[in-house]
Amino acid sequence: MSSHKVSLMFFISLIITSLMAMAALAGNFYQDFDIMFGDQRLKILEEGKLVTLSLDKVSGAGFQSKNGYIFGRFDVQMKMPPGNSAGTVTTFYLSSSGPDHDEIDLEFLGNSTGEPYTLHTNVYAQGQGSKEQQFHLWFDPTKDFHTYSVVWNSKRIIFLVDGSPIRVFNNLESLGLPFPKNQSMKIYATFWNADDWATQGGRVKTDWSHAPFSASYRNFNINACLGSQGSPSSSCSTSTNSSAWQNQGLNAAGRNRLRWLQRKFMVYDYCTDRPKFPKGLPRECKHSRV
């Protein structure tokens, strides 16, 4: 089979998976989240099923989960601000607190009209980050809602877009490398200005004539172990939580899809950035990342 036909089959499967993922979620912001900042720039609509965040020259907006979690699956549907969104950052991430914090990041970096968004991913473990991978998406994230997910268990972290894996970060504690597992993390969603770095390394600034910008979130699904913020203790209810995520990895088809997506859409990988690491690439870069 030609490489063109294989690519076409993968792309069609992505579209089908996207449609299936977009129909599977439910959630309520009144029950699960608190406003962090932004005041009137955060609006809760449709009886708590939809939240919009707006950004102007004075401030952006953000919210956080009421609870902290240790391990789980976290899904949200998001729609990015359209048009000239250069300088803006729309986020969905998990984080603990303190200087030695853990964090799992998805940050959507805006761009000039007609240029693609960049999905920036990163992992912090015990305060150590610099594990960035960046992607251009295979669709326009401003046209409709799409599902973005994090699966976090004791073995690995999987980043997914519309159900398709784009990144795996494995637990390599056996090699003495830190992995997020002892600190509970809250869910955060923020929309803010970062034109000092977000778009083309800060060369393109936010055009405030287009403000206010707006980003939308809906259908959060949290299937996770409850934990106190900063505490290693957790509690899971098997009667209310599906346990599939607890040992979730990638099968052969998932690994093939991951490799294909990374080959087609990854635009930055810290494991190939030798100028950033003049003393040598991080040790995890020598090991399988699928």
Side-chain angles (χ1 to χ4, degrees):
M1 183 178 295
S2 70
S3 60
H4 175 73
K5 289 183 178 179
V6 171
S7 295
L8 180 61
M9 290 174 63
F10 266 112
F11 192 77
I12 292 172
S13 70
L14 286 176
I15 300 300
I16 294 172
T17 304
S18 298
L19 294 173
M20 293 174 64
M22 290 174 64
L25 304 176
N28 189 290
F29 289 89
Y30 288 117
Q31 296 173 1
D32 298 323
F33 295 93
D34 292 320
I35 297 173
M36 290 171 58
F37 65 98
D39 299 321
Q40 74 279 6
R41 297 173 184 84
L42 186 152
K43 297 186 184 301
I44 304 175
L45 308 168
E46 298 181 5
E47 299 180 341
K49 296 178 182 178
L50 171 69
V51 169
T52 63
L53 304 181
S54 65
L55 168 68
D56 56 39
K57 203 167 186 178
V58 175
S59 178
F63 57 91
Q64 67 181 29
S65 62
K66 296 179 184 294
N67 296 314
Y69 304 92
I70 294 186
F71 305 136
R73 177 170 178 139
F74 309 87
D75 307 280
V76 65
Q77 292 181 343
M78 300 170 62
K79 184 162 67 171
M80 307 305 153
N84 186 352
S85 58
T88 69
V89 177
T90 311
T91 74
F92 161 52
Y93 65 99
L94 303 169
S95 183
S96 63
S97 57
D100 297 324
H101 76 294
D102 295 336
E103 189 170 326
I104 303 170
D105 286 336
L106 292 95
E107 300 181 331
F108 298 82
L109 313 183
N111 213 335
S112 304
T113 302
E115 297 296 320
Y117 264 78
T118 297
L119 170 52
H120 176 97
T121 68
N122 200 0
V123 176
Y124 285 78
Q126 299 174 26
Q128 300 179 31
S130 296
K131 301 175 179 64
E132 301 92 345
Q133 288 184 350
Q134 295 182 342
F135 303 83
H136 287 163
L137 298 169
W138 51 94
F139 52 82
D140 184 345
T142 72
K143 296 297 186 182
D144 206 344
F145 285 92
H146 291 266
T147 303
Y148 305 95
S149 308
V150 170
V151 172
W152 170 36
N153 57 42
S154 62
K155 298 179 179 65
R156 63 190 61 85
I157 298 164
I158 307 173
F159 298 78
L160 304 106
V161 175
D162 285 337
S164 292
I166 61 168
R167 179 177 185 178
V168 174
F169 185 82
N170 288 310
N171 184 341
L172 295 176
E173 288 181 303
S174 60
L175 302 177
L177 300 175
F179 182 82
K181 72 169 191 177
N182 293 321
Q183 301 182 68
S184 68
M185 296 195 272
K186 287 189 174 183
I187 304 167
Y188 295 88
T190 59
F191 185 35
W192 48 289
N193 177 50
D195 65 3
D196 57 331
W197 66 272
T199 303
Q200 299 181 32
R203 292 188 297 275
V204 182
K205 303 299 182 181
T206 304
D207 183 349
W208 294 110
S209 68
H210 296 281
F213 304 94
S214 180
S216 301
Y217 298 75
R218 73 180 186 188
N219 291 341
F220 259 102
N221 187 60
I222 304 169
N223 189 345
C225 300
L226 285 173
S228 301
Q229 181 76 349
S231 168
S233 62
S234 65
S235 174
C236 283
S237 171
T238 56
S239 62
T240 58
N241 287 323
S242 168
S243 60
W245 58 264
Q246 294 183 3
N247 295 295
Q248 185 170 340
L250 300 184
N251 58 20
R255 291 191 295 271
N256 287 336
R257 180 170 296 198
L258 173 72
R259 294 186 185 103
W260 185 82
L261 285 168
Q262 291 188 342
R263 187 170 64 252
K264 291 287 186 179
F265 300 106
M266 182 187 289
V267 295
Y268 175 82
D269 181 3
Y270 75 109
C271 280
T272 63
D273 192 349
R274 294 187 181 277
K276 183 176 181 178
F277 303 102
K279 296 182 179 180
L281 294 173
R283 284 190 292 158
E284 66 266 20
C285 297
K286 300 177 182 179
H287 297 269
S288 173
R289 294 182 290 157
V290 296

